[in-house]
Amino acid sequence: MDLLKADLPDLPGLPDLFEKLRPLLSAEAAAETAGTGVDAADLEQAVWVRLLEHRRIPAEPADWLRRAVRGEARRARRRARREVPYDRPSVQGAGTRTSTGTEPEDALLHGEENRALRSAVARLPGRCPELMRALLSPRDLTYREIAGELGISQGSLGPVRSRCLGCLRRMLAVEVAAPALRGMER
């Protein structure tokens, strides 16, 4: 605060006002930023800057400070909602990632993953390859359509799918280094 006092505009009583309002500002900023992802220290700093830009001491400093904190918090939350990180792929809707196609490494890895998955699906036993190909189909078939294509009842589709996914999981666990165990494993 000593550095700040040296750079203050020549307003009588301003340093005392800073000392008097500091606890109130800290409490108000902490209350406004709880659970919003906005840093309370950043909010405090923005309010101090706003006070210095105001160029006069407000008639009711505590009321002014509360209004300033709420206004700066609204601005910070709006800014946080609009921010889009540049180093990540964009996200659309409910977790669907969109590919910009600008990274050749990503396209290559995605293609290799698809080939590895399709190769493992082809090695599955019984009716599993047919079922998994239908589930992975870009046509986005319903259970009724898949059951009709495979000639099995719609009710047995879920248990067969579960067994096939278990086989696929075990096959891929042998081929790919398994991640650390999380939760229950079958």
Side-chain angles (χ1 to χ4, degrees):
M1 195 61 168
D2 293 330
L3 290 175
L4 187 58
K5 286 180 183 177
D7 297 332
L8 291 176
D10 195 20
L11 290 174
L14 192 58
D16 294 333
L17 184 65
F18 275 135
E19 294 303 321
K20 180 180 155 190
L21 293 178
R22 180 180 292 158
L24 177 61
L25 177 59
S26 295
E28 289 286 330
E32 281 294 325
T33 60
T36 62
V38 177
D39 189 28
D42 290 341
L43 188 60
E44 288 180 42
Q45 184 178 12
V47 171
W48 287 132
V49 169
R50 185 191 273 197
L51 179 61
L52 291 174
E53 290 173 345
H54 198 58
R55 296 226 176 258
R56 61 177 162 62
I57 296 177
E60 295 290 327
D63 291 337
W64 179 91
L65 183 104
R66 286 184 187 100
R67 285 191 310 272
V69 167
R70 287 185 187 97
E72 290 297 329
R74 277 192 306 273
R75 272 190 213 89
R77 284 191 294 265
R78 263 185 264 138
R79 192 172 37 250
R81 278 193 306 263
R82 287 191 311 252
E83 285 179 351
V84 178
Y86 288 114
D87 58 339
R88 293 185 193 165
S90 61
V91 176
Q92 275 185 346
T96 311
R97 295 177 77 186
T98 59
S99 174
T100 57
T102 58
E103 299 295 328
E105 297 88 12
D106 291 341
L108 179 66
L109 288 174
H110 185 66
E112 287 180 13
E113 288 170 355
N114 279 342
R115 279 189 291 281
L117 178 63
R118 299 227 184 256
S119 171
V121 165
R123 294 190 313 264
L124 286 171
R127 301 195 79 168
C128 289
E130 296 172 275
L131 175 62
M132 295 307 295
R133 276 194 294 272
L135 289 171
L136 293 170
S137 170
R139 294 186 295 160
D140 197 24
L141 301 171
T142 64
Y143 266 31
R144 178 176 288 178
E145 293 168 335
I146 292 172
E149 277 189 14
L150 299 178
I152 60 175
S153 72
Q154 187 175 346
S156 65
L157 199 56
V160 172
R161 177 190 64 93
S162 182
R163 282 193 300 274
C164 293
L165 287 173
C167 288
L168 183 62
R169 192 176 298 119
R170 286 187 295 277
M171 285 175 58
L172 292 175
V174 172
E175 296 175 13
V176 179
L181 295 178
R182 288 180 266 136
M184 295 175 50
E185 289 283 321
R186 289 187 182 193

